[in-house]
Amino acid sequence: CMLCRWAEADPDICGCKRAKKGLCAHTYCLFLASGLLPQESRNSFLIEDTRCTIQEAAQKHCFVCSEMGAAITCREKGCNRSFHLPCASEGECVTQFFGLYRACQPQHC
């Protein structure tokens, strides 16, 4: 997955892999990635938006594992902590897999 950088992540946590035009990402990684919004009525993402999100994530450290490529940023205003979706449970982060698909680090739950 180009967002979480895990090849073999648990599909119950990250969802199935989606591949399109040279990009590969888990379903839930796409939905929870900061700044990435699905197209209305299709549950798909624009390729260019996805590429931009991947590039932005490449500059962010995961506060759980300290590796680069953290695509999910805490939804609390003023908090800039980012993390990978597979690291979320280890870091005690909360992820919401319905409605707004939000995530936050433990201090802001």
Side-chain angles (χ1 to χ4, degrees):
C1 172
M2 298 176 88
L3 289 169
C4 74
R5 298 186 178 197
W6 285 48
E8 299 300 322
D10 183 347
D12 289 338
I13 294 173
C14 295
C16 300
K17 284 186 195 169
R18 294 180 175 194
K20 188 174 183 182
K21 295 193 178 186
L23 299 177
C24 181
H26 296 111
T27 301
Y28 299 140
C29 289
L30 287 164
F31 276 96
L32 289 166
S34 300
L36 192 56
L37 299 172
Q39 291 180 305
E40 282 188 46
S41 74
R42 285 209 225 154
N43 273 346
S44 64
F45 298 85
L46 295 174
I47 296 295
E48 207 47 50
D49 290 349
T50 305
R51 281 197 176 108
C52 287
T53 299
I54 291 166
Q55 289 173 349
E56 288 173 13
Q59 307 301 312
K60 297 177 184 176
H61 286 91
C62 174
F63 87 95
V64 179
C65 73
S66 299
E67 296 291 324
M68 298 299 281
I72 303 169
T73 302
C74 178
R75 296 297 183 192
E76 181 74 18
K77 290 186 185 218
C79 182
N80 62 358
R81 282 189 164 185
S82 298
F83 52 94
H84 303 106
L85 183 54
C87 296
S89 61
E90 184 181 329
E92 299 180 2
C93 303
V94 174
T95 51
Q96 178 179 313
F97 291 90
F98 58 89
L100 298 176
Y101 288 88
R102 297 183 290 185
C104 62
Q105 57 113 354
Q107 295 171 335
H108 299 136
C109 299

XYZ file of all heavy atoms in Angstrom:
838
model
N 0.854 -1.180 0.000
C 0.000 0.000 0.000
C 0.894 1.235 0.000
O 1.832 1.343 0.800
C -0.890 -0.027 1.235
S -1.854 1.461 1.533
N 0.624 2.162 -0.889
C 1.455 3.358 -0.994
C 1.144 4.372 0.106
O 1.874 5.356 0.248
C 1.291 3.970 -2.373
C 1.757 3.007 -3.475
S 1.479 3.638 -5.127
C 3.005 4.539 -5.341
N 0.105 4.146 0.888
C -0.226 5.052 1.984
C 0.336 4.563 3.314
O 0.966 5.317 4.039
C -1.736 5.249 2.078
C -2.344 6.067 0.942
C -3.859 5.978 0.959
C -1.895 7.510 1.032
N 0.106 3.288 3.650
C 0.616 2.786 4.934
C 1.971 2.107 4.794
O 2.642 1.849 5.787
C -0.388 1.837 5.586
S -0.515 0.203 4.829
N 2.350 1.783 3.563
C 3.625 1.133 3.253
C 3.740 -0.277 3.810
O 4.832 -0.770 4.033
C 4.791 1.999 3.708
C 4.809 3.338 2.987
C 6.005 4.117 3.327
N 5.994 5.373 2.573
C 7.040 6.118 2.417
N 8.175 5.785 2.944
N 6.957 7.231 1.734
N 2.624 -0.910 4.062
C 2.613 -2.303 4.506
C 2.127 -3.158 3.348
O 1.051 -2.921 2.805
C 1.677 -2.483 5.693
C 2.176 -1.970 6.991
C 2.732 -0.747 7.232
C 2.156 -2.643 8.236
N 3.046 -0.627 8.553
C 2.706 -1.782 9.194
C 1.708 -3.898 8.634
C 2.830 -2.119 10.528
C 1.828 -4.238 9.962
C 2.392 -3.359 10.895
N 2.890 -4.162 2.991
C 2.506 -5.058 1.906
C 1.463 -6.067 2.383
O 0.516 -6.381 1.674
C 3.722 -5.791 1.355
N 1.633 -6.567 3.589
C 0.766 -7.617 4.115
C 0.058 -7.160 5.392
O 0.282 -7.702 6.456
C 1.578 -8.887 4.389
C 2.250 -9.466 3.158
C 1.281 -9.855 2.060
O 0.179 -10.362 2.369
O 1.617 -9.631 0.883
N -0.774 -6.177 5.298
C -1.532 -5.692 6.460
C -2.816 -6.502 6.602
O -3.346 -7.045 5.632
C -1.854 -4.218 6.290
N -3.333 -6.565 7.812
C -4.568 -7.288 8.105
C -5.728 -6.628 7.350
O -6.033 -5.457 7.572
C -4.821 -7.247 9.613
C -6.038 -8.030 10.042
O -6.857 -8.430 9.183
O -6.176 -8.251 11.262
N -6.409 -7.371 6.458
C -7.518 -6.781 5.706
C -8.690 -6.355 6.583
O -9.482 -5.505 6.192
C -7.938 -7.879 4.723
C -7.284 -9.120 5.185
C -6.143 -8.751 6.064
N -8.802 -6.924 7.793
C -9.854 -6.481 8.708
C -9.567 -5.076 9.237
O -10.482 -4.358 9.624
C -9.988 -7.444 9.895
C -10.585 -8.781 9.487
O -11.270 -8.833 8.443
O -10.365 -9.759 10.218
N -8.301 -4.698 9.254
C -7.909 -3.367 9.720
C -7.793 -2.388 8.557
O -8.300 -1.276 8.621
C -6.573 -3.424 10.486
C -6.762 -4.223 11.776
C -6.034 -2.025 10.774
C -5.476 -4.495 12.526
N -7.120 -2.786 7.498
C -6.817 -1.872 6.383
C -7.728 -2.020 5.179
O -7.705 -1.185 4.284
C -5.373 -2.071 5.942
S -4.188 -1.605 7.212
N -8.509 -3.075 5.123
C -9.363 -3.310 3.963
C -8.602 -3.992 2.849
O -7.410 -4.279 2.968
N -9.270 -4.237 1.769
C -8.660 -4.878 0.601
C -7.786 -3.868 -0.140
O -8.008 -2.664 -0.053
C -9.740 -5.379 -0.343
S -10.827 -6.589 0.407
N -6.833 -4.384 -0.889
C -5.989 -3.502 -1.705
C -6.731 -3.126 -2.981
O -7.417 -3.939 -3.582
C -4.684 -4.197 -2.082
C -3.688 -4.266 -0.971
C -2.387 -4.842 -1.502
C -1.496 -5.267 -0.364
N -0.363 -6.042 -0.858
N -6.581 -1.874 -3.364
C -7.128 -1.364 -4.620
C -5.949 -0.930 -5.475
O -5.034 -0.269 -4.977
C -8.006 -0.148 -4.389
C -9.267 -0.390 -3.614
C -10.017 0.922 -3.472
N -11.295 0.747 -2.828
C -12.244 1.668 -2.830
N -12.036 2.828 -3.418
N -13.392 1.455 -2.231
N -5.985 -1.256 -6.737
C -4.919 -0.836 -7.650
C -5.546 -0.127 -8.843
O -6.546 -0.582 -9.398
C -4.117 -2.037 -8.113
N -4.953 1.013 -9.189
C -5.469 1.780 -10.325
C -4.371 2.695 -10.846
O -3.778 3.464 -10.076
C -6.681 2.607 -9.879
C -7.415 3.289 -11.004
C -8.668 3.954 -10.466
C -9.467 4.584 -11.567
N -10.655 5.262 -11.051
N -4.080 2.577 -12.118
C -3.096 3.429 -12.805
C -1.770 3.534 -12.058
O -1.246 4.616 -11.818
C -3.682 4.808 -13.053
C -4.858 4.770 -14.003
C -5.234 6.130 -14.484
C -6.383 5.987 -15.472
N -6.718 7.228 -16.103
N -1.244 2.387 -11.639
C 0.061 2.362 -10.993
C 0.068 2.684 -9.513
O 1.121 2.707 -8.891
N -1.101 2.934 -8.936
C -1.203 3.205 -7.500
C -1.884 2.027 -6.817
O -2.847 1.472 -7.328
C -2.028 4.466 -7.241
C -1.502 5.761 -7.828
C -2.473 6.899 -7.529
C -0.134 6.078 -7.286
N -1.371 1.661 -5.651
C -1.960 0.568 -4.884
C -2.154 1.044 -3.445
O -1.216 1.569 -2.834
C -1.053 -0.650 -4.925
S -1.715 -2.058 -4.036
N -3.355 0.872 -2.916
C -3.646 1.309 -1.548
C -4.766 0.468 -0.965
O -5.625 -0.031 -1.692
C -4.033 2.779 -1.526
N -4.745 0.319 0.358
C -5.833 -0.361 1.057
C -7.057 0.553 1.097
O -6.932 1.774 1.198
C -5.426 -0.690 2.499
C -4.301 -1.654 2.604
N -3.061 -1.280 3.051
C -4.241 -2.974 2.313
C -2.276 -2.344 3.040
N -2.951 -3.382 2.594
N -8.223 -0.050 1.069
C -9.481 0.694 1.078
C -9.573 1.652 2.264
O -9.861 2.842 2.097
C -10.678 -0.279 1.101
O -10.606 -1.114 -0.047
C -11.994 0.469 1.113
N -9.319 1.158 3.496
C -9.475 2.014 4.667
C -8.350 3.032 4.789
O -8.555 4.122 5.344
C -9.594 1.184 5.947
C -10.790 0.266 5.939
C -10.702 -1.018 6.445
C -12.012 0.674 5.406
C -11.801 -1.868 6.434
C -13.107 -0.170 5.386
C -12.992 -1.439 5.904
O -14.077 -2.280 5.892
N -7.181 2.711 4.265
C -6.099 3.703 4.234
C -6.523 4.900 3.385
O -6.256 6.049 3.731
C -4.809 3.093 3.697
S -4.013 1.913 4.803
N -7.199 4.629 2.269
C -7.699 5.706 1.410
C -8.743 6.551 2.138
O -8.676 7.780 2.132
C -8.313 5.123 0.134
C -7.340 4.568 -0.890
C -8.073 3.684 -1.892
C -6.609 5.690 -1.602
N -9.707 5.894 2.769
C -10.789 6.626 3.427
C -10.309 7.447 4.625
O -10.856 8.505 4.916
C -11.910 5.684 3.866
C -12.888 5.381 2.772
C -12.749 4.233 2.017
C -13.922 6.245 2.480
C -13.640 3.954 0.993
C -14.825 5.980 1.461
C -14.678 4.820 0.711
N -9.281 6.970 5.330
C -8.808 7.673 6.523
C -7.667 8.647 6.253
O -7.321 9.452 7.111
C -8.381 6.663 7.590
C -9.543 5.903 8.227
C -9.021 4.702 9.014
C -10.352 6.801 9.130
N -7.073 8.594 5.066
C -5.950 9.486 4.740
C -6.393 10.943 4.818
O -7.451 11.320 4.309
C -5.411 9.177 3.348
N -5.582 11.744 5.471
C -5.902 13.161 5.654
C -5.925 13.894 4.323
O -5.009 13.785 3.525
C -4.880 13.802 6.582
O -4.918 13.157 7.830
N -6.999 14.633 4.099
C -7.119 15.446 2.903
C -7.615 14.709 1.677
O -7.771 15.302 0.618
N -7.871 13.433 1.775
C -8.325 12.650 0.622
C -9.819 12.377 0.773
O -10.252 11.763 1.750
C -7.546 11.340 0.552
C -7.671 10.512 -0.722
C -7.286 11.334 -1.951
C -6.786 9.289 -0.628
N -10.598 12.856 -0.170
C -12.053 12.697 -0.107
C -12.547 11.859 -1.281
O -12.108 12.067 -2.415
C -12.741 14.063 -0.147
C -12.387 15.009 0.998
C -12.978 16.380 0.742
C -12.879 14.448 2.318
N -13.473 10.923 -1.020
C -14.002 10.108 -2.123
C -14.893 10.945 -3.027
O -15.490 11.923 -2.601
C -14.805 9.020 -1.414
C -15.165 9.601 -0.102
C -14.063 10.562 0.260
N -14.956 10.527 -4.290
C -15.871 11.176 -5.221
C -17.287 10.804 -4.822
O -17.542 9.676 -4.389
C -15.614 10.700 -6.647
C -14.305 11.165 -7.213
C -14.130 10.643 -8.622
O -14.215 9.452 -8.863
N -13.873 11.553 -9.537
N -18.176 11.732 -4.944
C -19.570 11.476 -4.559
C -20.142 10.315 -5.353
O -19.865 10.163 -6.528
C -20.421 12.722 -4.805
C -20.237 13.767 -3.738
C -21.216 14.897 -3.896
O -22.410 14.643 -4.117
O -20.765 16.040 -3.805
N -20.918 9.501 -4.693
C -21.686 8.377 -5.232
C -20.846 7.239 -5.819
O -21.393 6.281 -6.312
C -22.694 8.860 -6.292
O -22.056 9.203 -7.492
N -19.503 7.320 -5.777
C -18.715 6.251 -6.371
C -17.811 5.527 -5.385
O -17.281 4.477 -5.707
C -17.840 6.806 -7.490
C -18.614 7.105 -8.730
C -17.701 6.954 -9.899
N -17.863 8.065 -10.805
C -16.937 8.491 -11.614
N -15.767 7.943 -11.619
N -17.157 9.477 -12.425
N -17.559 6.106 -4.229
C -16.607 5.543 -3.272
C -15.247 5.278 -3.917
O -14.598 4.283 -3.642
C -17.131 4.268 -2.621
C -17.954 4.570 -1.406
O -17.926 5.684 -0.898
N -18.675 3.591 -0.932
N -14.861 6.152 -4.836
C -13.541 6.062 -5.451
C -12.838 7.397 -5.251
O -13.442 8.378 -4.838
C -13.650 5.710 -6.933
O -14.312 6.739 -7.633
N -11.548 7.415 -5.540
C -10.736 8.603 -5.291
C -10.064 9.044 -6.574
O -9.665 8.211 -7.388
C -9.686 8.289 -4.216
C -10.299 7.907 -2.902
C -10.680 6.603 -2.653
C -10.519 8.866 -1.929
C -11.267 6.253 -1.454
C -11.109 8.524 -0.725
C -11.486 7.212 -0.489
N -9.926 10.340 -6.754
C -9.243 10.847 -7.932
C -7.771 10.471 -7.871
O -7.134 10.588 -6.821
C -9.390 12.365 -8.022
C -10.811 12.893 -8.245
C -10.819 14.414 -8.161
C -11.350 12.427 -9.588
N -7.230 10.017 -8.979
C -5.833 9.578 -9.044
C -4.888 10.705 -8.633
O -3.959 10.497 -7.851
C -5.483 9.081 -10.472
C -6.316 7.846 -10.818
C -4.006 8.813 -10.621
C -6.024 6.640 -9.965
N -5.126 11.894 -9.131
C -4.230 13.018 -8.817
C -4.277 13.378 -7.332
O -3.260 13.666 -6.720
C -4.573 14.231 -9.694
C -3.424 15.157 -9.941
C -2.127 14.458 -10.354
O -2.125 13.625 -11.264
O -1.089 14.757 -9.720
N -5.459 13.341 -6.733
C -5.592 13.591 -5.292
C -4.834 12.527 -4.494
O -4.167 12.834 -3.506
C -7.056 13.585 -4.861
C -7.839 14.782 -5.374
O -7.212 15.738 -5.885
O -9.078 14.747 -5.266
N -4.948 11.288 -4.934
C -4.265 10.187 -4.250
C -2.750 10.357 -4.349
O -2.035 10.179 -3.359
C -4.698 8.826 -4.834
O -6.125 8.727 -4.770
C -4.070 7.677 -4.068
N -2.255 10.716 -5.507
C -0.806 10.949 -5.685
C -0.323 12.069 -4.758
O 0.725 11.956 -4.121
C -0.489 11.293 -7.132
C -0.439 10.095 -8.022
C 0.276 10.388 -9.339
N 0.346 9.159 -10.086
C -0.378 8.888 -11.176
N -1.201 9.803 -11.650
N -0.266 7.734 -11.780
N -1.078 13.152 -4.675
C -0.699 14.277 -3.800
C -0.673 13.837 -2.339
O 0.240 14.202 -1.593
C -1.668 15.443 -3.972
S -1.474 16.329 -5.515
N -1.652 13.044 -1.931
C -1.712 12.558 -0.550
C -0.532 11.647 -0.249
O 0.063 11.732 0.834
C -3.053 11.828 -0.299
O -4.112 12.766 -0.510
C -3.130 11.290 1.108
N -0.154 10.806 -1.188
C 1.008 9.928 -1.015
C 2.276 10.764 -0.853
O 3.112 10.490 0.013
C 1.131 8.937 -2.190
C -0.026 7.925 -2.133
C 2.483 8.230 -2.181
C -0.198 7.108 -3.408
N 2.430 11.804 -1.669
C 3.608 12.675 -1.585
C 3.657 13.421 -0.251
O 4.712 13.552 0.356
C 3.629 13.661 -2.749
C 3.929 12.997 -4.066
C 3.778 13.949 -5.251
O 3.257 15.056 -5.118
N 4.215 13.512 -6.411
N 2.522 13.912 0.211
C 2.474 14.615 1.502
C 2.782 13.660 2.649
O 3.513 14.007 3.575
C 1.096 15.249 1.705
C 0.851 16.445 0.817
C -0.572 16.967 0.910
O -1.316 16.572 1.834
O -0.938 17.779 0.053
N 2.234 12.448 2.591
C 2.476 11.461 3.647
C 3.945 11.064 3.710
O 4.470 10.790 4.793
C 1.607 10.224 3.416
N 4.608 11.065 2.588
C 6.029 10.686 2.547
C 6.890 11.621 3.391
O 7.996 11.254 3.799
C 6.526 10.667 1.106
N 6.388 12.803 3.709
C 7.125 13.789 4.499
C 6.800 13.718 5.994
O 7.373 14.456 6.788
C 6.811 15.201 3.995
C 7.018 15.405 2.509
C 8.438 15.113 2.083
O 9.382 15.577 2.699
N 8.597 14.322 1.033
N 5.871 12.840 6.387
C 5.412 12.800 7.779
C 5.864 11.529 8.485
O 5.758 10.434 7.942
C 3.884 12.870 7.826
C 3.317 14.159 7.269
C 1.809 14.106 7.292
C 1.211 15.335 6.653
N -0.253 15.256 6.588
N 6.325 11.693 9.723
C 6.705 10.558 10.574
C 5.480 10.018 11.298
O 4.628 10.782 11.736
C 7.701 10.992 11.659
C 9.059 11.247 11.160
N 9.471 12.487 10.730
C 10.120 10.414 11.009
C 10.727 12.417 10.357
N 11.150 11.173 10.506
N 5.429 8.713 11.471
C 4.395 8.077 12.271
C 4.801 8.224 13.738
O 5.924 7.865 14.106
C 4.278 6.595 11.900
S 3.151 5.642 12.926
N 3.926 8.751 14.576
C 4.290 8.939 15.973
C 4.347 7.613 16.733
O 4.881 7.557 17.826
C 3.357 9.945 16.670
C 2.098 9.365 17.253
C 2.039 9.001 18.598
C 0.971 9.190 16.481
C 0.888 8.478 19.142
C -0.186 8.670 17.019
C -0.229 8.317 18.355
N 3.856 6.525 16.130
C 3.895 5.206 16.763
C 5.198 4.484 16.425
O 5.935 4.067 17.311
C 2.676 4.351 16.350
C 2.738 2.973 16.988
C 1.372 5.049 16.714
N 5.505 4.332 15.126
C 6.678 3.561 14.708
C 7.862 4.423 14.277
O 8.941 3.896 14.020
C 6.308 2.596 13.586
S 6.020 3.395 11.980
N 7.653 5.718 14.127
C 8.677 6.690 13.724
C 9.117 6.586 12.260
O 10.014 7.297 11.834
C 9.914 6.608 14.624
O 9.564 6.884 15.946
N 8.495 5.716 11.485
C 8.817 5.597 10.062
C 8.094 6.694 9.274
O 7.073 7.217 9.707
C 8.405 4.220 9.525
C 9.149 3.060 10.146
C 10.611 3.018 9.756
O 10.940 3.356 8.608
O 11.434 2.651 10.626
N 8.618 6.998 8.093
C 7.996 7.996 7.224
C 6.771 7.403 6.524
O 6.581 6.202 6.503
C 9.006 8.466 6.169
C 10.233 9.149 6.747
S 9.853 10.629 7.669
C 9.610 11.779 6.343
N 5.964 8.262 5.937
C 4.826 7.837 5.146
C 3.522 7.742 5.907
O 2.629 7.005 5.515
N 3.384 8.488 6.983
C 2.161 8.441 7.786
C 1.076 9.291 7.121
O 1.168 10.508 7.084
C 2.447 8.934 9.203
N 0.057 8.651 6.615
C -0.977 9.339 5.832
C -2.153 9.827 6.651
O -2.964 10.610 6.169
C -1.483 8.408 4.729
N -2.279 9.374 7.899
C -3.434 9.742 8.717
C -2.988 10.725 9.793
O -2.079 10.441 10.567
C -4.057 8.498 9.377
C -4.447 7.490 8.300
C -5.258 8.888 10.224
C -4.830 6.140 8.850
N -3.620 11.879 9.829
C -3.318 12.891 10.831
C -4.493 12.981 11.797
O -5.650 12.909 11.381
C -3.071 14.262 10.163
O -1.997 14.123 9.233
C -2.714 15.329 11.183
N -4.189 13.146 13.060
C -5.224 13.279 14.085
C -6.199 14.389 13.688
O -5.788 15.456 13.223
C -4.573 13.592 15.435
S -5.743 13.838 16.782
N -7.469 14.136 13.875
C -8.512 15.096 13.486
C -8.704 16.238 14.480
O -9.442 17.178 14.212
C -9.855 14.375 13.298
C -9.844 13.373 12.185
C -9.599 14.046 10.869
N -9.672 13.048 9.806
C -9.287 13.261 8.580
N -8.781 14.406 8.239
N -9.388 12.328 7.685
N -8.051 16.174 15.634
C -8.162 17.244 16.626
C -7.474 18.505 16.087
O -6.323 18.452 15.635
C -7.508 16.813 17.938
C -7.586 17.847 19.030
C -8.972 17.978 19.639
O -9.805 17.064 19.487
O -9.222 19.020 20.267
N -8.169 19.634 16.112
C -7.582 20.886 15.638
C -6.337 21.205 16.443
O -6.332 21.092 17.665
C -8.581 22.027 15.743
C -9.697 21.894 14.749
C -10.596 23.101 14.777
C -11.741 22.814 13.834
N -12.168 23.923 13.088
N -5.278 21.583 15.750
C -4.029 21.944 16.399
C -3.095 20.771 16.646
O -1.941 20.963 16.986
N -3.574 19.547 16.474
C -2.719 18.367 16.663
C -2.148 17.976 15.304
O -2.876 17.846 14.326
C -3.510 17.200 17.245
S -2.492 15.735 17.551
N -0.858 17.802 15.234
C -0.242 17.439 13.959
C 0.367 16.045 13.975
O 1.168 15.714 13.123
C 0.802 18.479 13.547
C 1.938 18.576 14.548
O 1.932 17.902 15.572
N 2.901 19.415 14.253
N -0.007 15.220 14.954
C 0.499 13.848 15.000
C -0.106 13.034 13.861
O -1.299 13.096 13.605
C 0.157 13.183 16.319
C 1.061 13.610 17.425
C 0.808 12.765 18.634
N 1.921 12.903 19.575
C 2.034 12.218 20.676
N 1.116 11.328 21.007
N 3.057 12.396 21.467
N 0.759 12.271 13.208
C 0.333 11.414 12.105
C 0.713 9.978 12.396
O 1.618 9.718 13.188
C 0.992 11.873 10.802
O 0.596 13.181 10.476
N 0.034 9.051 11.719
C 0.326 7.635 11.916
C -0.125 6.827 10.719
O -0.881 7.307 9.871
C -0.322 7.110 13.203
C -1.789 7.389 13.344
C -2.736 6.471 12.945
C -2.226 8.586 13.892
C -4.092 6.737 13.076
C -3.572 8.857 14.040
C -4.509 7.927 13.629
N 0.380 5.599 10.635
C -0.050 4.630 9.628
C -1.267 3.900 10.188
O -1.332 3.656 11.398
C 1.047 3.582 9.371
C 2.349 4.147 8.947
N 3.437 4.209 9.783
C 2.743 4.673 7.763
C 4.457 4.742 9.137
N 4.063 5.033 7.917
N -2.176 3.500 9.353
C -3.351 2.782 9.833
C -2.984 1.483 10.561
O -3.526 1.219 11.633
C -4.330 2.506 8.688
C -5.637 1.823 9.081
C -6.354 2.574 10.195
C -6.533 1.672 7.876
N -2.036 0.662 10.053
C -1.698 -0.551 10.808
C -1.076 -0.256 12.181
O -1.105 -1.110 13.058
C -0.693 -1.272 9.909
C -0.952 -0.748 8.547
C -1.384 0.678 8.750
N -0.529 0.929 12.388
C 0.071 1.305 13.674
C -0.970 1.850 14.661
O -0.674 2.013 15.844
C 1.147 2.371 13.470
S 2.556 1.814 12.498
N -2.155 2.143 14.179
C -3.171 2.816 14.994
C -3.491 2.070 16.288
O -3.519 2.673 17.362
C -4.447 3.032 14.187
N -3.726 0.780 16.211
C -4.103 0.049 17.429
C -2.945 -0.027 18.419
O -3.146 0.111 19.625
C -4.621 -1.347 17.096
O -3.627 -2.109 16.457
N -1.729 -0.202 17.915
C -0.562 -0.228 18.802
C -0.379 1.111 19.511
O 0.043 1.171 20.657
C 0.694 -0.575 18.005
C 1.929 -0.723 18.838
C 3.148 -1.054 18.007
O 3.008 -1.721 16.971
O 4.246 -0.634 18.399
N -0.703 2.195 18.830
C -0.582 3.530 19.398
C -1.820 3.980 20.140
O -1.933 5.138 20.530
N -2.794 3.069 20.310
C -4.050 3.335 20.996
C -4.866 4.449 20.348
O -5.606 5.185 21.001
C -3.814 3.622 22.474
C -3.184 2.454 23.207
C -2.935 2.730 24.679
O -3.273 3.821 25.167
O -2.390 1.835 25.336
N -4.729 4.584 19.037
C -5.499 5.569 18.283
C -6.903 5.026 18.047
O -7.125 3.823 18.047
C -4.841 5.839 16.932
S -3.143 6.408 17.058
N -7.832 5.926 17.843
C -9.210 5.544 17.566
C -9.504 5.874 16.116
O -9.218 6.973 15.644
C -10.188 6.296 18.508
C -11.625 6.016 18.116
C -9.936 5.895 19.939
N -10.074 4.903 15.405
C -10.452 5.109 14.012
C -11.942 4.867 13.861
O -12.494 3.938 14.452
C -9.667 4.153 13.077
O -9.790 2.825 13.574
C -8.204 4.525 13.009
N -12.599 5.713 13.094
C -14.043 5.640 12.875
C -14.269 5.213 11.438
O -13.969 5.966 10.514
C -14.658 7.010 13.143
C -16.144 7.079 12.914
C -16.675 8.463 13.224
O -16.361 9.035 14.254
N -17.467 9.008 12.315
N -14.787 4.012 11.233
C -14.963 3.446 9.903
C -16.381 3.614 9.364
O -16.920 2.721 8.737
C -14.595 1.954 9.920
C -13.137 1.708 10.120
C -12.604 1.556 11.389
C -12.275 1.636 9.039
C -11.255 1.324 11.574
C -10.925 1.404 9.208
C -10.419 1.247 10.477
N -16.989 4.755 9.634
C -18.321 5.052 9.102
C -18.479 6.562 9.059
O -17.713 7.282 9.682
C -19.419 4.408 9.962
C -19.395 4.847 11.399
C -20.093 5.960 11.816
C -18.629 4.145 12.337
C -20.054 6.377 13.141
C -18.590 4.544 13.663
C -19.302 5.663 14.067
N -19.450 7.018 8.310
C -19.718 8.459 8.239
C -18.537 9.250 7.724
O -18.192 9.165 6.558
N -17.883 9.995 8.616
C -16.785 10.871 8.217
C -15.429 10.181 8.141
O -14.466 10.785 7.722
C -16.674 12.051 9.194
C -17.887 12.961 9.267
C -17.691 14.016 10.345
C -18.142 13.613 7.922
N -15.321 8.919 8.543
C -14.046 8.198 8.545
C -12.959 9.052 9.190
O -12.078 9.580 8.535
C -13.624 7.799 7.126
C -14.464 6.703 6.557
C -15.635 6.990 5.870
C -14.097 5.382 6.696
C -16.418 5.976 5.354
C -14.862 4.355 6.188
C -16.040 4.672 5.510
O -16.802 3.658 5.011
N -13.040 9.208 10.500
C -12.091 10.034 11.233
C -11.140 9.181 12.060
O -11.429 8.027 12.344
C -12.826 11.004 12.142
C -13.682 11.983 11.376
C -14.316 12.959 12.282
N -15.340 12.283 13.080
C -16.142 12.904 13.919
N -16.055 14.174 14.075
N -17.049 12.230 14.599
N -10.051 9.785 12.451
C -9.082 9.106 13.320
C -8.476 10.127 14.263
O -8.335 11.300 13.923
C -7.994 8.454 12.488
N -8.090 9.665 15.449
C -7.429 10.569 16.382
C -6.488 9.779 17.284
O -6.669 8.584 17.504
C -8.430 11.378 17.206
S -9.508 10.407 18.252
N -5.500 10.471 17.774
C -4.542 9.856 18.682
C -5.161 9.796 20.064
O -6.140 10.467 20.341
C -3.203 10.603 18.608
C -3.291 12.072 18.912
C -2.584 12.404 20.195
O -2.127 11.544 20.912
N -2.482 13.671 20.477
N -4.631 8.963 20.966
C -5.306 8.654 22.218
C -5.657 9.845 23.115
O -6.693 9.825 23.785
C -4.357 7.713 22.945
C -3.122 7.648 22.163
C -3.382 8.266 20.835
N -4.864 10.880 23.122
C -5.144 12.030 23.992
C -6.369 12.802 23.553
O -6.905 13.585 24.311
C -3.930 12.955 24.034
C -2.711 12.323 24.666
C -1.488 13.181 24.502
O -1.397 13.987 23.582
N -0.525 13.007 25.389
N -6.833 12.603 22.312
C -7.950 13.384 21.785
C -9.194 12.561 21.520
O -10.049 12.948 20.738
C -7.508 14.105 20.509
C -6.401 15.047 20.742
N -5.320 15.138 19.902
C -6.165 15.926 21.750
C -4.481 16.049 20.395
N -4.970 16.536 21.505
N -9.306 11.421 22.161
C -10.473 10.549 21.943
C -11.589 10.896 22.905
O -11.396 11.239 24.010
C -10.067 9.096 22.124
S -8.816 8.615 20.948
